[in-house]
Amino acid sequence: MKTSTIQHGNKFSSFFCNLFGHHYVVSKKVTQHIKEYKCVHCQKQVTTDVSGKLSALTPQMQEINNTLEDMYQKRRSRVVQSVA
């Protein structure tokens, strides 16, 4: 029985990443410590987790990152206003 896997890009890109590894670039800065990354070749998305390691960017993790980013931006704007 064959198992299906999710393809994030074309077959050549997937083969390249399987052979040499992913080439991640920062796609979004959530906070100073948490970022979202995207592979240049296969478009796979990952994010940093609580321990600082890379983990798959699931819809649940994406929602957590969006909420965290909103809270971080509100706090930074409040700190800047009180200093000025």
Side-chain angles (χ1 to χ4, degrees):
M1 177 182 262
K2 288 186 176 182
T3 59
S4 62
T5 59
I6 299 172
Q7 295 292 329
H8 296 283
N10 62 26
K11 290 182 180 184
F12 178 73
S13 297
S14 297
F15 175 73
F16 183 84
C17 290
N18 286 335
L19 189 61
F20 297 110
H22 296 285
H23 181 210
Y24 292 118
V25 293
V26 175
S27 62
K28 181 179 178 183
K29 288 186 178 182
V30 179
T31 66
Q32 289 180 342
H33 302 290
I34 298 177
K35 296 173 182 65
E36 292 180 1
Y37 301 92
K38 190 174 197 178
C39 179
V40 174
H41 304 289
C42 68
Q43 308 304 315
K44 180 179 178 181
Q45 294 180 329
V46 295
T47 186
T48 50
D49 60 7
V50 177
S51 62
K53 297 180 182 178
L54 294 179
S55 61
L57 185 63
T58 61
Q60 181 182 10
M61 289 293 289
Q62 198 167 22
E63 185 177 337
I64 291 169
N65 282 352
N66 289 337
T67 304
L68 185 61
E69 182 182 23
D70 290 340
M71 290 172 45
Y72 183 73
Q73 292 297 332
K74 287 178 185 178
R75 182 174 181 185
R76 284 189 50 95
S77 67
R78 186 176 50 203
V79 170
V80 170
Q81 289 175 356
S82 65
V83 171

